[in-house]
Amino acid sequence: MKLAKFLDKYDTVIFDMDGVITSEQNYWNCAALTVWEYLNYNSGQKINAAECMQNISKIRSHVFSDDELISALKGKGVTSNWDLGYVTVLIAWICNGKTDWNYFDKVLEYAKSLSDNIIDEYDNLAIKCAEKTGFDYEWLKRNGTMWTTMRDIFQTWFLGDELFEKTFGYIPINTGKTGLLYKEEPIVDKNKLITIMSLLSRNKRVCTGTGRPYIEMLPPIENWGIKQYFAQNGLCNYDNVVEAEKELNNNALTKPHPYMFLKALYGTDYSNKRIVDGDYDKAKIKTTLVVGDAGADILAAQAMGADFCAVLTGIQGERARGYFEKLGANYILKSVEDFYRKSNRLSNNFEVF
């Protein structure tokens, strides 16, 4: 079995993970459970973790309007699942107030009315929410106390009580969670994924540029037997972003900023300052391919000048094709399985050179 011919021109392939290699289903489950727990928590109600797990499908369907809200917010540039939950709560309070928030159909309609670059509206949402609820703006703003609390709740659902306490050094707000991290599955057939990564690694540098922190990135690629195929200094993740933002006093290095893909390309041991200053061998970018499923991925790839391969395994599926065509993706594939050579050309796939 051989790789598709179009991959011959690349020396480095950088993968986003969620929606490309790993499934986001458990992350979306975590986001829904986080919204549900947090809104109840702020209404003085304590949830039962075991009961929530038993009813996870119903909770997610209710909170995210049968996943339409996920699609709407992701389509407008929400890349972090922490932010997915955070924005949902802000809008819920804006629409319904802090004591009557349990009407998520209004949240969906409000989300649809927001601009196509919702990241620029985070601050406005916090201001509007403060006006509606009387909560302090400083408490509501992104990276403030509310956001941090929601992040911790999310991490507890995903990691489970034991790993959360081991990682963060304190007991979570509400215990009884076993962790969805241990239920992860690859987004394509595992054996095919192993073969693809093995073939790529023979003469290419294989990397990640993922919004996952290292502790969440590592278990799936280890458990599925593909970690060995990635470059050791090519596993760029959210921890690298946090470190760079702190070092450089820059809060804007997440996608669609190209930092994450550049850090993967030049190595996690490469200077953050030199990356942000543009001090690197730009010729290497010409033989680099970024693989992603979301708007932030293609914008980041184009910002660095790399070719981009879109895969239609994200939340919008085939509906994302037109979006990627409009933005000028170099390749659009149904999934990473199309990295196999089926013929001398990419039949039934959009391709631009």
Side-chain angles (χ1 to χ4, degrees), residues 33-324:
L33 290 168
T34 299
V35 170
W36 189 248
E37 177 175 349
Y38 189 74
L39 288 171
N40 277 282
Y41 171 76
N42 276 278
S43 298
Q45 305 294 320
K46 186 176 180 179
I47 59 95
N48 181 291
E51 288 181 0
C52 285
M53 286 299 294
Q54 290 174 358
N55 294 287
I56 193 167
S57 296
K58 291 181 180 179
I59 291 172
R60 174 171 155 182
S61 177
H62 180 56
V63 168
F64 290 139
S65 299
D66 295 325
D67 290 351
E68 285 190 59
L69 182 59
I70 300 174
S71 181
L73 292 177
K74 292 281 186 178
K76 292 178 181 291
V78 174
T79 57
S80 162
N81 288 295
W82 294 338
D83 285 347
L84 175 63
Y86 165 71
V87 170
T88 299
V89 170
L90 286 181
I91 297 175
W93 278 338
I94 290 170
C95 291
N96 306 305
K98 62 184 179 182
T99 59
D100 188 28
W101 46 263
N102 196 13
Y103 297 96
F104 291 99
D105 55 337
K106 293 181 182 178
V107 177
L108 176 60
E109 293 309 309
Y110 191 96
K112 288 180 177 179
S113 72
L114 295 171
S115 73
D116 286 340
N117 189 1
I118 196 175
I119 295 174
D120 292 340
E121 295 202 42
Y122 282 4
D123 206 48
N124 289 333
L125 289 172
I127 292 170
K128 290 177 182 178
C129 191
E131 293 171 351
K132 179 75 175 185
T133 63
F135 291 138
D136 183 66
Y137 160 74
E138 292 295 323
W139 182 79
L140 287 167
K141 71 179 183 180
R142 190 177 184 274
N143 292 324
T145 303
M146 171 198 171
W147 186 91
T148 302
T149 303
M150 290 194 67
R151 179 204 62 192
D152 285 358
I153 293 172
F154 182 103
Q155 291 304 110
T156 316
W157 282 113
F158 194 72
L159 300 176
D161 296 346
E162 184 177 343
L163 186 54
F164 178 90
E165 186 175 354
K166 181 180 178 181
T167 303
F168 294 98
Y170 55 91
I171 299 172
I173 293 172
N174 189 35
T175 57
K177 298 163 187 170
T178 55
L180 275 73
L181 173 66
Y182 306 103
K183 301 179 183 294
E184 290 215 85
E185 295 292 339
I187 205 162
V188 298
D189 179 80
K190 184 173 74 172
N191 290 329
K192 291 180 179 179
L193 180 62
I194 291 171
T195 302
I196 289 168
M197 293 301 173
S198 174
L199 290 171
L200 284 171
S201 68
R202 290 179 185 178
N203 57 13
K204 303 180 193 302
R205 189 166 177 273
V206 184
C207 307
T208 64
T210 175
R212 289 186 175 217
Y214 190 71
I215 194 172
E216 297 173 23
M217 177 193 73
L218 199 58
I221 63 174
E222 283 186 333
N223 294 340
W224 303 338
I226 60 174
K227 181 178 181 291
Q228 60 185 308
Y229 303 121
F230 290 96
Q232 285 189 341
N233 68 344
L235 294 172
C236 185
N237 58 83
Y238 185 71
D239 292 345
N240 297 110
V241 174
V242 172
E243 178 184 297
E245 288 184 341
K246 184 178 180 179
E247 175 190 334
L248 304 175
N249 193 27
N250 184 336
N251 292 324
L253 297 182
T254 55
K255 303 172 194 175
H257 192 285
Y259 166 81
M260 187 170 285
F261 293 144
L262 289 167
K263 186 74 168 177
L265 173 59
Y266 295 102
T268 51
D269 48 356
Y270 197 84
S271 163
N272 290 322
K273 187 176 187 306
R274 291 180 68 183
I275 287 176
V276 172
D277 289 348
D279 181 11
Y280 44 76
D281 179 11
K282 296 177 178 60
K284 293 180 69 173
I285 296 174
K286 295 179 180 179
T287 56
T288 297
L289 180 69
V290 173
V291 187
D293 70 304
D297 296 324
I298 186 172
L299 293 175
Q302 291 177 336
M304 71 183 278
D307 282 359
F308 183 77
C309 176
V311 289
L312 303 179
T313 40
I315 180 63
Q316 293 187 311
E318 183 65 33
R319 290 175 295 168
R321 182 179 293 274
Y323 172 81
F324 287 120

